[in-house]
Amino acid sequence: MNTLTVEKNDIKINEVPKEAQAFYYPAGERAIFFVHGFSDSLCRVNGFAKFLSKRGITTKGVLLPGHGTNWEDLAKTTPKDWYNEVEKGILELSKNVKEIYIVAISFGGNLALKFDAIHPGIIKGLVCIETPMKIKYQPITKRAIPYAKKIGMEYWNKQYLKVLKHPEKEIVFKQGVLDKMPLDNIAQVIEFIEKQKSFLKKVTCDVLVIQSEKSNLIRPESPQIIIDSVSSKRKQIFKIDNVYHAFLSEPAKRTIFYEACKFFKIDY
């Protein structure tokens, strides 16, 4: 497995899997920028990005700080660090292309929505895949975190996902997707989500929200909250079946990416 060693914010990040590394495939004046989710990596979108670049679409993805290696690295970062990386990446891309669209997974969608609220007019369209405005068991989780930390817990273990019978589960944990999430980061993500509705009205780019009807993490009202809150003139919800929040089969990916390209009016 090809790996990369870099240093970021005094954090030495060792052995980032090749599939999780940031990428940039320049091709044309239209571009899609990819944002992965909390404790996730770019491994889910890299293949699609290469596919698009061969069809004349510039593609770029950034690795959020602390991601791609282990939960200890992630614990040294915050949503502010992640947002800053997204902001820098989009602004850099805007210097080289005429149109920018974004495909964002999970909390990556929250970061992208914030960008459009702060920088109106740069993003033409945004597809949010399983982006949370409410998380299942959110109040209980908020109350439980301080008690868990008192008894010495530092992270929530996602090992239970590995028992799922799913074609992707054997792959993603070797490609930069973390199996542990620091409790402090979980609390920060919840805080970010709870405050986000206050600035969603400033979002004006086209917005498509793709949501699984069987999500194991996101509350079913999340897509409608986004659609009702943004000021976008063109906004839609697309629902897909049989997709766990953290695991996308190849057929599901094809459906999701096809819908994204159709929404962006890009030939797939």
Side-chain angles (χ1 to χ4, degrees):
M1 178 173 60
N2 293 319
T3 59
L4 172 71
T5 299
V6 299
E7 291 193 9
K8 181 78 174 179
N9 297 330
D10 297 324
I11 301 170
K12 189 173 182 181
I13 302 177
N14 297 304
E15 297 188 347
V16 176
K18 181 180 178 181
E19 299 83 358
Q21 295 170 21
F23 59 79
Y24 178 48
Y25 306 124
E29 294 186 335
R30 305 178 81 192
I32 294 183
F33 186 90
F34 292 88
V35 189
H36 68 77
F38 168 54
S39 75
D40 204 346
S41 91
L42 290 167
C43 69
R44 304 183 195 280
V45 300
N46 211 317
F48 181 54
K50 292 177 182 177
F51 172 86
L52 287 173
S53 69
K54 293 177 181 178
R55 283 155 180 78
I57 305 297
T58 291
T59 53
K60 182 174 182 175
V62 293
L63 179 64
L64 303 182
H67 288 72
T69 53
N70 53 61
W71 75 268
E72 291 93 343
D73 285 338
L74 182 55
K76 297 172 184 176
T77 65
T78 69
K80 182 179 179 181
D81 299 317
W82 313 335
Y83 172 76
N84 288 344
E85 191 71 13
V86 170
E87 181 180 56
K88 183 179 75 171
I90 297 173
L91 291 176
E92 288 176 348
L93 180 61
S94 69
K95 299 174 183 177
N96 301 315
V97 298
K98 289 185 176 180
E99 291 184 2
I100 296 178
Y101 304 88
I102 295 182
V103 172
I105 298 176
S106 189
F107 190 68
N110 300 93
L111 299 173
L113 287 164
K114 180 177 179 178
F115 178 90
D116 190 68
I118 294 174
H119 300 280
I122 293 180
I123 301 172
K124 188 173 179 65
L126 166 61
V127 169
C128 295
I129 303 168
E130 285 267 298
T131 292
M133 290 306 297
K134 287 189 177 180
I135 297 172
K136 289 183 178 180
Y137 315 116
Q138 186 167 313
I140 296 174
T141 301
K142 280 180 64 177
R143 292 195 296 268
I145 287 174
Y147 292 102
K149 291 182 64 178
K150 283 184 179 179
I151 63 172
M153 287 184 61
E154 297 182 79
Y155 57 82
W156 179 66
N157 200 326
K158 292 195 289 185
Q159 290 287 352
Y160 83 95
L161 292 174
K162 291 186 177 181
V163 305
L164 291 175
K165 293 182 179 179
H166 193 283
E168 195 180 42
K169 73 181 181 67
E170 300 297 336
I171 301 172
V172 295
F173 288 109
K174 297 177 182 178
Q175 296 183 341
V177 176
L178 303 184
D179 58 5
K180 298 178 177 64
M181 298 191 295
L183 295 184
D184 283 340
N185 287 148
I186 295 174
Q188 292 160 0
V189 166
I190 291 174
E191 182 183 15
F192 186 104
I193 291 169
E194 291 179 340
K195 291 180 178 179
Q196 183 157 43
K197 195 174 180 181
S198 64
F199 62 76
L200 281 181
K201 63 183 178 181
K202 296 181 180 179
V203 173
T204 57
C205 70
D206 296 344
V207 176
L208 171 64
V209 182
I210 298 179
Q211 175 71 29
S212 170
E213 302 213 85
K214 293 187 177 181
S215 175
N216 61 318
L217 180 63
I218 309 301
R219 293 279 305 171
E221 61 266 37
S222 282
Q224 198 62 53
I225 291 173
I226 295 173
I227 294 300
D228 290 344
S229 300
V230 299
S231 298
S232 309
K233 292 182 180 179
R234 183 169 173 252
K235 46 190 177 180
Q236 301 173 16
I237 295 174
F238 177 81
K239 293 187 178 180
I240 188 170
D241 292 326
N242 302 321
V243 175
Y244 287 98
H245 179 72
F247 294 90
L248 302 177
S249 64
E250 286 305 317
K253 285 182 184 180
R254 285 194 290 270
T255 298
I256 288 170
F257 294 145
Y258 171 78
E259 290 299 323
C261 287
K262 185 169 72 171
F263 185 73
F264 295 151
K265 300 179 181 178
I266 292 174
D267 291 335
Y268 186 73

